[in-house]
Amino acid sequence: MSLPAVSSFSFFQESDSFVEYASFASGKVFLADGILERLKSEGQAKIQPQHEVSDNAMPAPSYHLDANKLAPKTKEVWIAETGPLAERAIALQKWEGFVLEVGESTFRARLKNLSTPGYDEEVEFPFDDLMSEDVPLVERGAPFYWSIGRRFGKTGQMTRYSFIRFKRLPRWEKQDLSIPSEVQQIREALDW
Amino acid sequence: MASTPGVSEIEVSFFGPGYGESILVHVGDGQWIVVDSCVEPGEKYPAPLRYLDEIGVDPREAVKLVVVSHWHDDHIRGMSQVVEACDNADVVFSHAIKCKEFLDLLVAYKDKAESIDYGAEEYQAIVQMLYARTGAQKKTPVWANADRALWGKSLSDGDQCSVYALSPSDQAITDAHLSFAKLLPVPGAPVLALTPDINQNETSIVLHLEIGDFCVLLGSDLEHHASIHHGWNAIIASKAKLYSKSSLFKIPHHGSSNGHCPQVWSNLLQANPVCVLSPFANGSVRLPTKGDVARILQHTSQAFSTCRHISRKLKRDRTVERTIEQFGYPVTLANPGFGRVTFRIGNSLPTVDLAGDACPLSEVLCRA
């Protein structure tokens, strides 16, 4: 049996964003090896084999898909049937930061790059870019997260986003501050 | 390409990534001292260990002394790895932290997910490591205070090597102990990412090394104050020992004017000494300034920096770059470069080798 004509096909590379691609495509998407298994394991889509290998196709079980080779050839194809589109976001870069200096309308912060470890960065943010509920939390040493990424709306429209969120901090409790026996043991062992 | 120093060659290597510093000293006979630690940007391995690895030196056998001058983030990054790798070495701490209140602080902040304070993390790891050691590696820390001999060794060429601490002063130690008690967290207060800030520079360890006739003064971050009980004035005022003048000087506190004490140049240093500093960038503070460079160059024509003030961008996803530009956020690398200044002296004339982003101090790009 021959593969049905592919009227539209978007080739995409395997990346962290493939799941989102699958979801905002028009209900069905062709999947390359590896992506299939990951979608299955994440339960992201209902996946069923839709076509058998044709009599003149490449030997099974190879079903690699390639944008340049797919259309004229026939081979086993997997189709993921996805649910309705939903708003979603993909973080492309994440930082963990803490406030170094607080100015009148801005604050400077040290950033620990969580996407490319080993590189510390600094940034200056205006208070205007914070959620109003976060502004009172800004003080020296206050930790926060910052992420940049892509957001997809229900129509599949992509926009870029920057999101700064200060951590809600726990409070010191009495048991944190009681003199633990650990301190005494260290003092005795190390003549501290 | 770095090479192993000769048996009787003295080497002092200074490492700096623009925010951080570390010093390695070969005193002779294949014996080394590590002072502070920093990590090259993008790396996890501390710079002094990486260098020893490059020149084929086993830190476990060769390093005899590890000095933790103070617990500022820019002096301690990777120090727990250094202590772990150099497990036959004595570990030197400032006497200022030899108190129960400091340990209370460390233990209180231990395992707090909110804490991203490298200084606290490194100290916690080091203390735990020293505590857990057994057998020959089980040693108590060596406590440094003014005019204390920390380590000594007779070398095969007949020279004597002695390492002295010139600070912290008695007054700085007392002040620090009182401060720690006040810094303990209060129930109900938020757990912040940073441990409380105190003036740690006052408690940092200045080292004086005598190796035969050659002397080195490593100024750490010690500052200069009017009081003769604090900072450099306390060292100048000390009558405990007459130290020979040094011909190699690690300029204190990244060249800042608050680390400049005129009497250091006249009383503790030879004329026109070789000087090295590591720059510093944190928030709006950039050291040294143009004024700092000009002041230092009045005292010596042989000054070097481990790193330039340079601007480099981290390569990242184009969408991320566009978004940063779109929002107008000035994101800069805290450690845009990395360099090494290596001073050697043996049987021939002394040499200075600059590697990476290291440069003569006159070429450091500075803010006014």
Side-chain angles (χ1 to χ4, degrees):
Chain A
M1 167 179 158
S2 299
L3 183 72
V6 178
S7 56
S8 66
F9 177 78
S10 297
F11 179 70
F12 60 97
Q13 292 182 321
E14 183 173 5
S15 72
D16 285 344
S17 59
F18 70 86
V19 175
E20 280 67 28
Y21 178 90
S23 69
F24 72 75
S26 58
K28 291 185 177 181
V29 64
F30 297 96
L31 302 169
D33 288 347
I35 298 179
L36 171 69
E37 294 307 318
R38 185 163 160 187
L39 278 177
K40 277 180 176 178
S41 66
E42 293 180 358
Q44 291 289 336
K46 180 184 173 186
I47 300 164
Q48 294 177 343
Q50 297 293 306
H51 303 283
E52 300 299 327
V53 177
S54 68
D55 50 5
N56 61 349
M58 292 181 293
S62 171
Y63 46 89
H64 286 286
L65 298 185
D66 184 296
N68 299 318
K69 298 175 183 173
L70 178 68
K73 293 183 177 177
T74 58
K75 57 182 179 178
E76 188 179 49
V77 171
W78 294 76
I79 294 179
E81 295 180 357
T82 62
L85 300 179
E87 286 188 22
R88 61 189 60 234
I90 313 160
L92 298 173
Q93 169 85 51
K94 292 179 183 176
W95 292 269
E96 184 179 16
F98 62 86
V99 177
L100 284 175
E101 298 166 0
V102 182
E104 283 190 12
S105 59
T106 63
F107 66 93
R108 291 186 71 93
R110 178 61 64 97
L111 303 169
K112 186 191 273 188
N113 192 321
L114 301 179
S115 303
T116 314
Y119 290 95
D120 282 5
E121 297 175 275
E122 285 188 9
V123 67
E124 187 167 355
F125 290 120
F127 283 112
D128 292 346
D129 288 3
L130 299 182
M131 287 187 288
S132 57
E133 64 199 58
D134 277 6
V135 173
L137 302 176
V138 180
E139 62 176 310
R140 184 188 173 275
F144 63 91
Y145 289 111
W146 180 30
S147 63
I148 283 177
R150 297 192 188 102
R151 180 183 290 129
F152 297 94
K154 288 182 178 177
T155 61
Q157 175 69 47
M158 188 275 282
T159 54
R160 296 193 294 265
Y161 76 84
S162 164
F163 185 63
I164 305 162
R165 186 66 166 163
F166 274 76
K167 291 187 192 178
R168 267 56 189 167
L169 298 173
R171 302 274 161 175
W172 289 102
E173 295 180 8
K174 276 188 177 176
Q175 56 264 35
D176 294 325
L177 310 173
S178 60
I179 310 303
S181 58
E182 189 179 345
V183 170
Q184 191 56 34
Q185 288 168 357
I186 292 171
R187 293 191 74 196
E188 288 171 6
L190 298 180
D191 186 28
W192 200 290
Chain B
M1 186 67 184
S3 60
T4 316
V7 172
S8 59
E9 238 179 347
I10 299 164
E11 174 183 317
V12 187
S13 283
F14 304 83
F15 306 87
Y19 175 78
E21 70 176 50
S22 177
I23 303 165
L24 255 178
V25 185
H26 176 248
V27 300
D29 290 351
Q31 303 191 56
W32 295 77
I33 295 169
V34 181
V35 183
D36 293 338
S37 177
C38 63
V39 178
E40 189 172 345
E43 295 284 338
K44 291 181 179 174
Y45 208 44
L49 294 183
R50 188 182 170 89
Y51 178 75
L52 289 175
D53 196 40
E54 270 178 28
I55 61 173
V57 172
D58 178 5
R60 190 166 194 276
E61 298 300 323
V63 176
K64 304 301 174 188
L65 202 62
V66 175
V67 181
V68 189
S69 78
H70 61 304
W71 63 98
H72 265 152
D73 189 23
D74 57 323
H75 288 254
I76 201 168
R77 192 83 62 96
M79 186 50 103
S80 59
Q81 291 181 72
V82 172
V83 172
E84 185 175 22
C86 308
D87 60 356
N88 286 314
D90 287 329
V91 178
V92 180
F93 288 141
S94 168
H95 209 298
I97 64 168
K98 190 179 188 298
C99 61
K100 177 178 153 299
E101 289 77 9
F102 180 81
L103 283 178
D104 285 342
L105 262 180
L106 270 193
V107 172
Y109 275 91
K110 186 179 160 195
D111 301 328
K112 288 287 178 202
E114 293 73 20
S115 174
I116 47 176
D117 187 327
Y118 292 106
E121 281 179 21
E122 294 286 353
Y123 261 94
Q124 285 157 4
I126 295 168
V127 169
Q128 286 300 324
M129 206 179 305
L130 296 179
Y131 178 65
R133 280 180 178 171
T134 56
Q137 280 75 47
K138 184 87 177 174
K139 295 175 182 174
T140 56
V142 176
W143 299 103
N145 50 257
D147 301 310
R148 173 156 190 206
L150 301 174
W151 188 77
K153 181 78 179 174
S154 294
L155 302 172
S156 60
D157 60 5
D159 281 343
Q160 180 73 23
C161 171
S162 302
V163 179
Y164 298 94
L166 305 192
S167 69
S169 67
D170 292 343
Q171 189 64 55
I173 293 169
T174 305
D175 290 349
H177 290 182
L178 292 172
S179 300
F180 290 131
K182 293 177 187 167
L183 294 172
L184 281 170
V186 179
V191 181
L192 294 174
L194 295 173
T195 44
D197 196 25
I198 66 164
N199 187 356
Q200 302 175 28
N201 294 337
E202 278 300 300
T203 66
S204 63
I205 303 170
V206 170
L207 294 174
H208 175 82
L209 283 71
E210 292 182 3
I211 310 166
D213 296 334
F214 180 72
C215 294
V216 184
L217 183 61
L218 303 177
S220 190
D221 275 359
L222 194 67
E223 296 180 9
H224 178 48
H225 298 284
S227 162
I228 60 165
H229 302 295
H230 289 93
W232 285 103
N233 263 347
I235 293 176
I236 299 296
S238 171
K239 302 286 188 292
K241 176 175 164 48
L242 188 61
Y243 296 101
S244 302
K245 290 187 176 182
S246 296
S247 47
L248 177 59
F249 182 35
K250 202 294 286 187
I251 293 177
H253 203 208
H254 318 284
S256 168
S257 58
N258 65 16
H260 175 70
C261 171
Q263 287 75 26
V264 169
W265 295 89
S266 56
N267 296 14
L268 299 178
L269 297 172
Q270 292 189 358
N272 201 30
V274 174
C275 297
V276 182
L277 63 74
S278 60
F280 176 87
N282 195 32
S284 56
V285 180
R286 295 285 186 279
L287 296 172
T289 62
K290 280 184 181 174
D292 295 329
V293 171
R295 185 193 66 246
I296 293 164
L297 292 178
Q298 286 177 352
H299 293 277
T300 179
S301 61
Q302 309 179 88
F304 304 91
S305 171
T306 58
C307 194
R308 302 164 191 270
H309 282 315
I310 50 178
S311 175
R312 277 192 190 125
K313 293 186 81 174
L314 192 60
K315 193 178 178 184
R316 50 180 137 231
D317 183 280
R318 285 185 65 193
T319 303
V320 176
E321 277 300 336
R322 285 181 192 154
T323 310
I324 290 172
E325 286 171 17
Q326 175 189 336
F327 283 88
Y329 296 139
V331 183
T332 55
L333 275 170
N335 287 330
F338 183 82
R340 167 176 56 82
V341 179
T342 294
F343 174 93
R344 277 189 185 176
I345 184 167
N347 298 324
S348 54
L349 290 172
T351 61
V352 173
D353 175 42
L354 304 180
D357 294 310
C359 64
L361 187 61
S362 56
E363 294 177 13
V364 174
L365 301 174
C366 304
R367 290 182 178 182

